């Protein structure tokens, strides 16, 4: 494992050859699996969860809003969750340089984008929807926990704005939630199976902006490494999978991902 900690202001002198030569792990890559976490969207104004300015760092009680059992049990949690959805930064967020670079990469190299994010920014950046696997669902949908009816989040939020503080399912009256995976909820088995196949079949697994502590998403890194793929981790902080990695990169995501994507496409 090689640890890269180069920062623009680290005071080290890099010669041009070192900066421009593509790393060996970019060579001969024809199938890429990307796993993205909250860290890729912070440049788009969507706070992460556990970082210094994270949602749950600032307000530990907010984690209850994403806990399935609490959500079902406690109407006050649901009312708060609906208010949080109303003001979610995803509605106005724009894809950043890293999202755009990955979308472009998907146009030139066979790429699966497996994401733990619910913000839709990979698709908004232009990544083909069929190549994006939203492991933890999407905030753009609403789903009934009783009958499974699925609708647009926009419609549900209209009802909240109109005064329903915990709008029930329009079909059966059951509890409505965002079409996201909360803690305590299983992942969609078909989606997880596709992501596992993508991880097992790639030459390169790029894990970007994920703390790699939420399973089963994080273990896709082990699936890829066990199958012989190179694993490259781009994250500000250490992760439990760093020891498995071909390279660990701590540079800012918005700088390093466009560079890696260009090297892979080139
Ligand atoms: Zn229903």
């Amino acid at each position: 494992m090689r640890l890269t900690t180069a920062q623009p202001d680290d005071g080290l002198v890099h010669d041009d050859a070192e900066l421009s030569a593509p790393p060996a792990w970019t060579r001969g890559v024809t199938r890429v699996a990307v796993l993205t976490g909250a860290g890729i969207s912070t440049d788009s104004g969507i706070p992460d969860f556990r970082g210094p300015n994270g949602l749950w760092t600032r307000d530990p009680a907010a984690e209850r809003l994403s806990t399935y059992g609490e959500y079902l049990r406690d109407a006050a949690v649901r009312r708060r969750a609906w208010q949080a959805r109303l003001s979610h930064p995803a509605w106005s967020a724009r894809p950043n340089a890293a999202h755009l670079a990955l979308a472009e990469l998907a146009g030139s190299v066979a790429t699966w984008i497996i994401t733990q994010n619910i913000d839709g920014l990979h698709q908004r950046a232009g990544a083909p929807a069929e190549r994006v696997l939203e492991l933890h669902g999407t905030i753009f949908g609403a789903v009934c926990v009783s009958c499974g009816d699925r609708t647009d989040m926009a419609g549900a939020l209209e009802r909240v704005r109109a005064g329903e503080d915990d709008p029930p399912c329009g079909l059966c009256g059951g509890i409505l939630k965002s079409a996201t995976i909360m803690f305590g909820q299983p992942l969609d088995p078909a989606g997880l199976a596709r992501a596992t196949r993508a991880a097992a079949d790639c030459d390169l697994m790029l894990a970007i902006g994920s703390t790699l502590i939420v399973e089963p998403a994080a273990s896709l890194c082990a699936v890829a490494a066990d199958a012989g793929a190179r694993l490259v981790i781009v994250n500000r902080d250490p992760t439990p999978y760093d020891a498995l990695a071909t390279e660990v990169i701590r540079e800012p995501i918005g700088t390093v991902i466009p560079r890696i994507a260009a090297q892979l496409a080139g």
Side-chain angles (χ1 to χ4, degrees), residues 210-229:
S210 173
T211 54
L212 300 180
I213 60 174
V214 175
E215 299 292 0
S219 61
L220 293 170
C221 291
V223 170
D226 288 351

Side-chain angles (χ1 to χ4, degrees), residues 156-206:
L157 291 182
E158 271 313 307
R159 294 171 61 191
V160 177
R161 274 190 211 97
E164 292 182 72
D165 56 6
D166 179 20
C169 170
L171 288 185
C172 78
I175 291 173
L176 212 56
K177 66 184 281 295
S178 60
T180 57
I181 306 295
M182 293 178 167
F183 287 111
Q185 272 194 292
L187 270 61
D188 167 48
L192 181 59
R194 289 173 74 200
T196 304
R197 263 201 311 279
D201 287 346
C202 70
D203 310 307
L204 172 67
M205 163 70 89
L206 263 181

Side-chain angles (χ1 to χ4, degrees), residues 144 146-149 169 171-174:
C144 170
S146 299
C147 73
D149 184 50
C169 170
L171 288 185
C172 78

Side-chain angles (χ1 to χ4, degrees), residues 9-10 29 31 36 40 46 49 64 66 70 83 90 104 114 117 122 132 145 148 169 180 183 188 228-229 266:
D9 58 350
D10 64 3
V29 171
R31 291 160 303 166
T36 63
I40 197 174
I46 299 180
F49 301 99
R64 292 180 70 218
S66 299
E70 302 268 357
Q83 290 304 311
E104 201 166 320
I114 306 161
N117 299 337
H122 288 298
V132 179
V145 304
C169 170
T180 57
F183 287 111
D188 167 48

